Amino acid sequence: MLDIDVACTAQRGTEGTAGCDNGFAVYVPGGVSYDLRPMKETGTHIVTAMGDGGYPQPPTRAQWFYPARSQGGQAAIDAGYPRRWFNTRFTPNECTGRAAGMVCDEFPFWVTNQAVDLSGERASLKPVPPSESSPQGTEMSAFFRKCDVEDGDRFIVLPVKPWVAANGPSFGFRVSEGGASMCMTPKAPGAQ
């Protein structure tokens, strides 16, 4: 699978392909959130931003597979960016003049060290329904908590195009020398 090869290469900071190191968390976005709320547009946005199932274009986006958590978006705040930076900086952009009622989704996430343009490339933007904005934020908080991703810890974002297209739920797992274990599992339908 190309995505995991590119993600592991980004993690190792090498050219070509390389196996992943041990002791990290992986976030796999879905067409629905881990608690089964709609996220088709945000999940598709991540897939598209990361190469739409192919190698990321431009290639500099490959580093987006391996961000570090920035609690509360502190990395972007410290760099002088307001939370709704896409309304004041880098305009016009994909969210300028968006349809009424749509919100602006950004990837890499605001809560990473790659927000806005901290990776050296401006974040990908896409208008999405407001019903998907809250689940994405809630999901990232749950992923960090459930998968023990502390402020400054790096993790892999692994978008799988067929999984999002099939409305699979988001999930998270941790990789260690002993294998992998689920840390953010999808809720069963109807579960509280």
Side-chain angles (χ1 to χ4, degrees):
M1 174 194 289
L2 176 64
D3 291 340
I4 194 68
D5 289 341
V6 176
C8 289
T9 298
Q11 182 199 43
R12 299 289 292 267
T14 60
E15 300 277 329
T17 59
C20 278
D21 284 334
N22 289 312
F24 61 93
V26 178
Y27 169 69
V28 181
V32 295
S33 65
Y34 85 102
D35 58 357
L36 308 179
R37 294 189 288 168
M39 271 188 17
K40 186 72 165 240
E41 294 298 316
T42 56
T44 300
H45 177 212
I46 296 168
V47 167
T48 303
M50 294 306 298
D52 204 29
Y55 196 85
Q57 294 301 320
T60 52
R61 287 188 175 183
Q63 65 185 316
W64 290 0
F65 280 111
Y66 195 52
R69 179 183 179 186
S70 173
Q71 191 162 347
Q74 197 60 50
I77 292 167
D78 289 348
Y81 292 107
R83 176 65 186 96
R84 303 281 180 242
W85 61 272
F86 43 81
N87 290 330
T88 59
R89 306 260 182 109
F90 306 100
T91 54
N93 59 52
E94 297 85 346
C95 289
T96 302
R98 61 189 174 270
M102 298 294 270
V103 297
C104 194
D105 184 50
E106 59 193 302
F107 183 80
F109 307 115
W110 173 257
V111 292
T112 70
N113 68 338
Q114 297 178 350
V116 189
D117 67 348
L118 303 180
S119 69
E121 181 171 341
R122 184 185 59 91
S124 177
L125 300 170
K126 180 183 180 190
V128 300
S131 60
E132 294 195 14
S133 181
S134 177
Q136 180 70 68
T138 300
E139 180 158 281
M140 291 314 299
S141 294
F143 170 71
F144 294 147
R145 184 180 69 256
K146 292 174 179 280
C147 296
D148 297 318
V149 179
E150 300 293 330
D151 189 32
D153 288 352
R154 290 191 171 273
F155 62 97
I156 286 180
V157 177
L158 188 61
V160 180
K161 184 176 182 176
W163 185 250
V164 173
N167 270 338
S170 300
F171 61 94
F173 61 95
R174 288 200 69 83
V175 175
S176 65
E177 287 186 31
S181 59
M182 297 293 287
C183 51
M184 185 178 78
T185 58
K187 291 185 178 179
Q192 295 296 321

